[in-house]
Amino acid sequence: IGTVLATSGRFAFLGGPELKGVELAVAEINAAGGVLGRKLSVVSYDDEGNPGKTKNLADRLLTKDKVIGVVGASTSGTIHVVATACEKAGTTQFYISGNSSICKGKKNVFNAAPPDELDAAGMVDFLRDNLKVSKIGIIHDANEYGSRSAESFTKILKARAPKIEVVGSEKYQSKDRDMSAQLINLKNAGSQCIVIWGVGFAPAVIVKNWNQLGLNKTIKLMGGAGMGSYKMIKLLGDAGDGLLFNTVLNYGDPNAKEKAFIAAYQKKFKTIPPTFAAVGYDAAYLLAEAIKKAKGDASKLSEAVYTIDGFKGVQGTFSFKGGNCNGLQPGCYVMAIVKKGDYYPADKVYPKK
């Protein structure tokens, strides 16, 4: 199987853990006897998150390496490139992104990550049922992920919680190192909770600014799943106390499958897995499951994916039946709250009222 992931460059915080997740899954699968009695091997390429490099690497996987399936890539721009190549070649791809639209209308492209819509719905329900707020502000990265996610969130908010008003919306650039002005604007607009849509280093800056300005005493702060970095939370320390965010890895109260994954990842790589690692891990297991169902016939692999139903991954339950290319089902997210550099289930602090 092949991967094209951003394991270096500014998106390495995504691609590095994603590849480790794939490698851990393949090691476990092979230790258990492989797939149909054959061991899996991984051919990995680093595109640095650069779409200009992605095409040649994807073509190499499909034509020279002749992989049976592909996991990747790490960003929407590079995923589109791999998806185009895999669709043309008839090779199965599991990509890693909340962008649910990439796989739609394609026969060979599937999403192993939770769609943004599930992330947003979980956040909206918590705002409505647990926090009971009536006014929120939004701050988002100006990039494709942040803008798309903020737009999707706003639509879902109107549908699921029409009484909650968006009183302000601010954006930032990924390289910005101070968002105090945006946060003050949202405070002055009357926000009771500020919702962040972003990944990488910038959201940590927002959390620190929220704490430094004293807004943590009066205004809640909530992030999407893109903020699910255990390393980032540890680095924030006490400054992160009170931060809310969605996660598919419930570190504070893990179920049996999550607990086993976290322990295995920590043993192999000597670090706590971020949520992105869980997506790579599930993607590799899904690909192996499809190979089993197709009895090793690469030409029938994508058809076999659509027969996967009720598959238990680390992130939750997958079902691709009925032509559903976004397989992860509702219920995969847990709202977490940060306290002293760790996560805990937020509904114990903010129960439904």
Side-chain angles (χ1 to χ4, degrees), residues 47-126:
D47 67 2
E48 302 173 21
N50 181 349
K53 295 185 176 184
T54 307
K55 186 178 186 306
N56 288 338
L57 296 175
D59 287 344
R60 189 188 303 176
L61 280 177
L62 299 172
T63 58
K64 182 182 176 183
D65 302 313
K66 298 188 183 301
V67 297
I68 195 169
V70 176
V71 175
S74 300
T75 70
S76 289
T78 54
I79 290 166
H80 276 292
V81 175
V82 178
T84 299
C86 285
E87 188 69 5
K88 183 178 179 181
T91 301
T92 303
Q93 174 199 10
F94 280 100
Y95 69 85
I96 302 173
S97 169
N99 191 337
S100 62
S101 65
I102 296 174
C103 60
K104 291 177 180 176
K106 298 181 177 69
K107 294 180 179 179
N108 304 294
V109 180
F110 306 90
N111 190 6
D116 289 340
E117 292 85 350
L118 292 185
D119 194 4
M123 295 167 72
V124 168
D125 290 353
F126 199 88

Side-chain angles (χ1 to χ4, degrees), residues 111-269:
N111 190 6
D116 289 340
E117 292 85 350
L118 292 185
D119 194 4
M123 295 167 72
V124 168
D125 290 353
F126 199 88
L127 288 164
R128 183 194 64 213
D129 300 334
N130 299 68
L131 298 184
K132 292 284 187 179
V133 296
S134 58
K135 296 180 179 181
I136 67 166
I138 298 172
I139 182 167
H140 68 88
D141 198 314
N143 66 12
E144 191 273 342
Y145 166 75
S147 300
R148 183 193 76 239
S149 299
E151 182 180 351
S152 173
F153 172 82
T154 303
K155 289 179 181 176
I156 290 168
L157 180 74
K158 288 179 180 178
R160 296 176 82 96
K163 292 182 180 179
I164 298 178
E165 178 187 1
V166 178
V167 295
S169 182
E170 299 282 337
K171 58 186 175 182
Y172 62 87
Q173 300 299 322
S174 301
K175 294 181 180 179
D176 288 351
R177 291 299 173 259
D178 192 295
M179 286 73 151
S180 298
Q182 293 99 314
L183 291 174
I184 290 169
N185 287 342
L186 294 174
K187 169 187 174 288
N188 292 338
S191 302
Q192 297 166 307
C193 180
I194 295 172
V195 173
I196 307 169
W197 284 103
V199 296
F201 184 79
V205 176
I206 295 171
V207 178
K208 285 187 175 181
N209 291 158
W210 169 71
N211 180 274
Q212 291 161 349
L213 292 166
L215 301 183
N216 56 337
K217 295 177 175 64
T218 56
I219 300 173
K220 304 289 189 299
L221 190 65
M222 178 185 287
M227 293 184 65
S229 166
Y230 192 85
K231 183 178 179 181
M232 183 189 82
I233 300 304
K234 283 290 184 188
L235 290 173
L236 283 170
D238 291 349
D241 281 8
L243 170 67
L244 296 155
F245 67 96
N246 255 345
T247 177
V248 290
L249 270 184
N250 188 358
Y251 298 93
D253 188 20
N255 60 34
K257 203 162 188 71
E258 290 170 326
K259 192 179 291 185
F261 167 70
I262 293 167
Y265 189 97
Q266 196 167 13
K267 182 179 179 181
K268 187 174 178 67
F269 301 111

Side-chain angles (χ1 to χ4, degrees), residues 268-320:
K268 187 174 178 67
F269 301 111
K270 312 304 179 191
T271 186
I272 297 290
T275 54
F276 313 115
V279 190
Y281 182 86
D282 281 346
Y285 265 103
L286 286 166
L287 197 48
E289 181 70 8
I291 294 169
K292 276 189 244 176
K293 286 181 173 290
K295 295 183 171 53
D297 186 343
S299 68
K300 295 180 179 178
L301 201 59
S302 294
E303 288 177 31
V305 175
Y306 285 120
T307 69
I308 294 174
D309 185 35
F311 181 87
K312 302 294 184 184
V314 170
Q315 302 172 88
T317 302
F318 289 85
S319 177
F320 294 93

